[in-house]
Amino acid sequence: MKSIATSSVMRHLIPVCLAVLAGQFATSEQAFAQANLKVIDLEVGCSPYPYQTEVRIQVKNTGSTTANYFYVDVFFDLPSAPSVGDYSDSYRLLYNLQPGQVRWVTLPVPSEYVEYRHNTWVDVVLDTSRWVPESNEYDNVYSAYEWLYCFF
């Protein structure tokens, strides 16, 4: 006999029942609505003042609910791509990213990576603390091979 707790029907009905009890009438699709954070673009450039190399990351919420708050962690010159759960010394906190909304995050590139005037890997991890429930937790790491130097 199949347990009622593991029944596929029950897993879909419980969120709907909770919504009805709360005075909301929702379909199971609406009850499972979630945010989804993605890096859309990454650029390395020069800031005019204070004359530093910086990385700009375009982040988008492709999901259907607001991403309340999460960190954007940036890594430079790692031997392999980081994972969700890895923390960097270069990070920014973003909050209230609405569905479909895009924001640019700008961070300075630490000087030790710029001195050598070379290409290097720049990796970004979104929501490494997993504070935002997402429809796809497997697309939160982005990597790009970039030239890290500005001529001032």
Side-chain angles (χ1 to χ4, degrees), residues 23-95:
Q24 302 170 355
F25 295 93
T27 65
S28 37
E29 183 176 306
Q30 291 168 329
F32 287 108
Q34 293 181 319
N36 189 43
L37 302 170
K38 291 183 90 168
V39 171
I40 302 300
D41 192 17
L42 184 144
E43 304 172 349
V44 173
C46 304
S47 67
Y49 183 81
Y51 305 114
Q52 65 184 9
T53 306
E54 58 188 21
V55 62
R56 290 175 25 104
I57 303 132
Q58 188 179 34
V59 180
K60 182 174 184 177
N61 180 357
T62 63
S64 55
T65 61
T66 300
N68 291 326
Y69 52 92
F70 59 94
Y71 282 101
V72 177
D73 286 87
V74 181
F75 301 83
F76 300 95
D77 209 24
L78 293 178
S80 61
S83 301
V84 173
D86 292 339
Y87 295 93
S88 172
D89 291 334
S90 298
Y91 61 90
R92 285 286 187 272
L93 177 65
L94 287 184
Y95 53 92

Side-chain angles (χ1 to χ4, degrees), residues 71-138:
Y71 282 101
V72 177
D73 286 87
V74 181
F75 301 83
F76 300 95
D77 209 24
L78 293 178
S80 61
S83 301
V84 173
D86 292 339
Y87 295 93
S88 172
D89 291 334
S90 298
Y91 61 90
R92 285 286 187 272
L93 177 65
L94 287 184
Y95 53 92
N96 293 331
L97 192 62
Q98 303 295 319
Q101 187 177 16
V102 174
R103 287 218 190 114
W104 283 95
V105 177
T106 303
L107 288 159
V109 176
S111 61
E112 63 264 25
Y113 299 109
V114 180
E115 292 170 355
Y116 302 110
R117 303 179 190 182
H118 67 291
N119 284 3
T120 190
W121 286 102
V122 179
D123 300 292
V124 179
V125 177
L126 301 175
D127 192 31
T128 200
S129 300
R130 295 192 180 202
W131 290 340
V132 177
E134 294 185 64
S135 57
N136 183 356
E137 294 282 359
Y138 300 102

